[in-house]
Amino acid sequence: EPEVTQTPSHQVTQMGQEVILRCVPISNHLYFYWYRQILGQKVEFLVSFYNNEISEKSEIFDDQFSVERPDGSNFTLKIRSTKLEDSAMYFCASSERPYEQYFGPGTRLTVT
Amino acid sequence: AQSVTQLDSHVSVSEGTPVLLRCNYSSSYSPSLFWYVQHPNKGLQLLLKYTSAATLVKGINGFEAEFKKSETSFHLTKPSAHMSDAAEYFCVVSVLNQAGTALIFGKGTTLSVSS
């Protein structure tokens, strides 16, 4: 069964550094998403991406964040200058239709 | 605005007994509703979905949920719990037919299953 994959599984970085989290969505899916889950809190929507552009983003997704689909298979989330409060589990999801989303296993980001 | 409230943060059952995880939703539009499960150190797995077809929805691993518009509820049930059902369960709402729709998650319910 096809699945969403994410790399790395765990990323440790120092405050102020740039990080790129990578995702490979399911191959025939057209909609792509990033969510995050701070330890002990809800899963929160960050951004959705369709037709090579951002279709929706939350208040969390400020200028420090960007997304890109650099080729036909990868979907990346970049955090330009990480802060301590960016420490969280980041989930990538993809869907063939707008609302039935399939999630990857997540990348745990630890900012020190 | 859309939101979901999971009424129990933790539910404990014995193996072989029924499971009930409660969820109420709020939506200005005709909602799509989902239950996702997260096992320890794993990603989020779609259990089942409601998208305005049958109100009783069957999912994987013997779970089902009933959409009740009058009660704005979408409770998750299973007749007989198994040890492997122990996990975190999330009730999720989405607005139908919008491109790139954001999913709104509840806070989650931790299900513990004892032998």
Side-chain angles (χ1 to χ4, degrees):
Chain A
E1 185 178 325
E3 57 184 22
V4 177
T5 59
Q6 291 185 241
T7 53
S9 56
H10 192 182
Q11 173 88 49
V12 181
T13 189
Q14 288 189 326
M15 199 166 49
Q17 296 296 304
E18 174 183 287
V19 294
I20 297 176
L21 310 183
R22 301 180 192 280
C23 168
V24 179
I26 294 172
S27 62
N28 63 331
H29 285 185
L30 303 174
Y31 301 85
F32 314 110
Y33 314 83
W34 284 100
Y35 292 80
R36 79 172 184 190
Q37 184 181 29
I38 295 172
L39 188 63
Q41 297 187 24
K42 283 186 185 186
V43 177
E44 301 171 291
F45 169 76
L46 292 178
V47 66
S48 59
F49 191 86
Y50 170 71
N51 202 25
N52 285 319
E53 60 182 24
I54 290 173
S55 48
E56 194 173 353
K57 62 182 181 179
S58 71
E59 293 175 353
I60 303 167
F61 194 87
D62 60 22
D63 293 343
Q64 292 298 314
F65 292 89
S66 62
V67 290
E68 194 177 30
R69 188 153 163 81
D71 52 43
S73 58
N74 289 283
F75 180 53
T76 62
L77 174 69
K78 182 193 291 185
I79 308 175
R80 202 155 303 150
S81 176
T82 50
K83 304 188 275 284
L84 293 176
E85 53 266 35
D86 293 327
S87 294
M89 181 74 91
Y90 288 80
F91 292 104
C92 174
S94 70
S95 64
E96 187 176 7
R97 291 175 288 276
Y99 44 82
E100 188 173 328
Q101 299 175 22
Y102 292 87
F103 284 77
T107 293
R108 180 168 299 284
L109 176 65
T110 302
V111 182
T112 62
Chain B
Q2 292 75 42
S3 67
V4 287
T5 302
Q6 292 184 245
L7 300 168
D8 307 293
S9 59
H10 198 158
V11 170
S12 296
V13 300
S14 299
E15 192 173 23
T17 64
V19 175
L20 170 64
L21 305 183
R22 298 182 295 166
C23 172
N24 287 110
Y25 71 90
S26 171
S27 177
S28 305
Y29 305 92
S30 179
S32 291
L33 293 159
F34 309 83
W35 278 96
Y36 281 83
V37 61
Q38 185 179 30
H39 289 275
N41 300 315
K42 302 280 188 184
L44 295 155
Q45 182 183 18
L46 179 64
L47 263 184
L48 51 77
K49 64 181 187 290
Y50 165 78
T51 54
S52 78
T55 56
L56 182 62
V57 181
K58 294 189 186 298
I60 61 172
N61 301 333
F63 284 94
E64 61 182 39
E66 187 171 7
F67 173 72
K68 291 187 177 179
K69 187 174 180 178
S70 60
E71 298 176 10
T72 60
S73 70
F74 190 59
H75 301 332
L76 182 71
T77 60
K78 181 173 180 177
S80 175
H82 192 270
M83 296 293 285
S84 60
D85 295 328
E88 187 86 7
Y89 291 80
F90 295 95
C91 183
V92 179
V93 68
S94 154
V95 175
L96 192 62
N97 290 330
Q98 285 193 2
T101 302
L103 296 181
I104 310 299
F105 280 73
K107 288 188 176 180
T109 298
T110 302
L111 176 64
S112 300
V113 183
S114 57
S115 55

